[in-house]
Amino acid sequence: MGSESIRAAYGVRAAEYTRILGSVEDMHEKDRERIGRWASSIDGLLIDAGCGPGHWTDFLYQRGASVQGIDLVPEFIECARVRFPEVPFRVASFHNLDVPDGSLHGVLAWYSLIHVQPDELSLVLREISRALAQGGQVLVGFFDGSPGDSFPHAVTMAYYWSPEHMGRLLSDAGFEVIDVETRQDPGKRAHAAITATLR
């Protein structure tokens, strides 16, 4: 499942996705608290990587963060620009964030790494580390499960990661894990989130 397939799969369902999952108010209260708390601790430029229709990017912007949203899917970026005209959005990929080395202070990757193929995830994490200044932070949200196992996500193929395995991949990319959260909500796949800082 390459980038072109992911772009195409989300592109044709962008409007449906936005209608169902494009509001922060529909997100879990604990996720709003966690992401808001994380952003408030960072002084500098943030990127919401894989921003989709832009709701989390706007959430950060409304709290005073210097943030921009990027996504692989042009339809999402077009939608985000209409919905949140004050917030900067652009098309870009995890494989090339298109920013200078060390120019970022935070990267939010909230359920956006789930479609990255297992053999490419290390490369993506290294691209994030390249873009971050020393001491910069990444916050990753993902489905907790057997590392690298695939499952039929509603839009396109996705992958589970365990907090332990994701933590090792982050460490290999130059990060130090500083916080791990797991949660099992009734009727939903297990949730995990990791905050890590660049060494």
Side-chain angles (χ1 to χ4, degrees), residues 12 19 43 54 100 121 133 151 161 181:
V12 299
R19 185 175 66 254
D43 183 17
L121 186 54
F151 66 92
W161 296 99
E181 173 198 34

Side-chain angles (χ1 to χ4, degrees), residues 15-167:
E16 176 190 5
Y17 183 99
T18 301
R19 185 175 66 254
I20 297 172
L21 295 171
S23 170
V24 167
E25 285 69 31
D26 293 331
M27 302 295 102
H28 200 291
E29 180 181 0
K30 290 182 179 179
D31 294 344
R32 295 196 299 269
E33 291 173 354
R34 181 181 184 87
I35 292 172
R37 185 170 61 249
W38 170 78
S40 69
S41 70
I42 295 173
D43 183 17
L45 180 61
L46 306 178
I47 276 186
D48 179 8
C51 65
H55 48 297
W56 283 120
T57 322
D58 180 65
F59 175 82
L60 299 175
Y61 180 84
Q62 296 302 328
R63 281 152 184 77
S66 175
V67 62
Q68 59 180 240
I70 67 168
D71 202 279
L72 183 68
V73 181
E75 291 86 350
F76 272 149
I77 295 301
E78 292 170 10
C79 177
R81 286 171 174 164
V82 170
R83 299 173 76 208
F84 311 113
E86 296 180 344
V87 184
F89 294 97
R90 59 186 175 86
V91 176
S93 77
F94 288 120
H95 294 86
N96 180 12
L97 298 176
D98 196 22
V99 296
D101 295 356
S103 61
L104 303 179
H105 290 82
V107 172
L108 176 66
W110 198 252
Y111 281 87
S112 51
L113 297 179
I114 63 171
H115 299 299
V116 176
Q117 295 183 60
D119 61 352
E120 295 185 0
L121 186 54
S122 293
L123 296 175
V124 167
L125 294 178
R126 290 189 182 280
E127 169 64 2
I128 292 173
S129 70
R130 177 202 66 78
L132 282 168
Q134 185 177 10
Q137 292 188 11
V138 61
L139 172 54
V140 184
F142 54 99
F143 292 112
D144 185 357
S146 182
D149 278 4
S150 62
F151 66 92
H153 182 269
V155 178
T156 189
M157 187 67 69
Y159 301 92
Y160 290 109
W161 296 99
S162 68
E164 295 78 14
H165 195 90
M166 182 66 80

